[in-house]
Amino acid sequence: DTAGPSPPPMSLPSALTGGHPLSDFFSSFSSHSYLLLLPLFAVLLAFLPALLLALPPLPTPRRALLSLLHPAPPHIAFIMDGNRRWARSHLLAPHAGHPRGSDKLVDALHWSLDAGVRAVTVYAFSLENFKRPREEVDAIFALAERRIAAMIEDPGVVHERGVRVR
């Protein structure tokens, strides 16, 4: 056996022993004395939400990506591809990927608006897609109709932000 003897159990965290500024303070505690610190931790945890709310918000991944787009490109395009592959990779029926893909497209359209992109083109259905089963084609078109209708009816998108759907 080349592993050697196992190290003895430690009663204090190794970061608080040997050269750490608080090592003398913590070395005076026995292993049961840590229980005396629990009320202090409870008070700190009680004030944690207020402390977190007082801090400025951290940049979200979305904000970080948008900051890279200054100045924003005048036009971008999205090609809807891989929804069925995504569904299969998540052990779902192939048609289950289309609603998820449309959710992500809506997110991307909002991000584009936030970034100041003036025109977006979406390639959502190719001529090759007509070779799929009729039920799947009908379901994709019904989903597209619902999404476009919801976007047109949303005053926060169309009227306040000046979006046009063609």
Side-chain angles (χ1 to χ4, degrees), residues 16-140:
L16 299 179
T17 59
H20 191 277
L22 294 176
S23 62
D24 292 335
F25 172 74
F26 280 103
S27 64
S28 65
F29 286 98
S30 71
S31 60
H32 297 290
S33 298
Y34 285 114
L35 296 176
L36 298 174
L37 295 175
L38 286 178
L40 174 64
F41 289 127
V43 169
L44 288 174
L45 286 175
F47 286 104
L48 187 61
L51 290 172
L52 290 175
L53 289 174
L55 295 173
L58 293 174
T60 61
R62 175 178 158 185
R63 285 191 191 124
L65 286 174
L66 291 177
S67 69
L68 298 174
L69 289 177
H70 289 289
H75 176 259
I76 60 175
F78 296 102
I79 300 172
M80 302 291 291
D81 186 36
N83 293 326
R84 295 184 326 153
R85 279 190 304 276
W86 178 89
R88 283 189 202 110
S89 72
H90 287 82
L91 305 176
L92 301 170
H95 68 278
H98 298 300
R100 175 72 174 180
S102 75
D103 291 342
K104 289 298 154 193
L105 176 63
V106 169
D107 289 346
L109 292 173
H110 283 286
W111 299 339
S112 301
L113 283 170
D114 292 345
V117 175
R118 307 249 328 133
V120 176
T121 301
V122 177
Y123 296 99
F125 202 83
S126 71
L127 293 176
E128 256 182 43
N129 295 142
F130 281 108
K131 296 176 186 172
R132 295 182 180 175
R134 184 71 189 168
E135 299 80 30
E136 185 178 358
V137 172
D138 291 344
I140 293 171

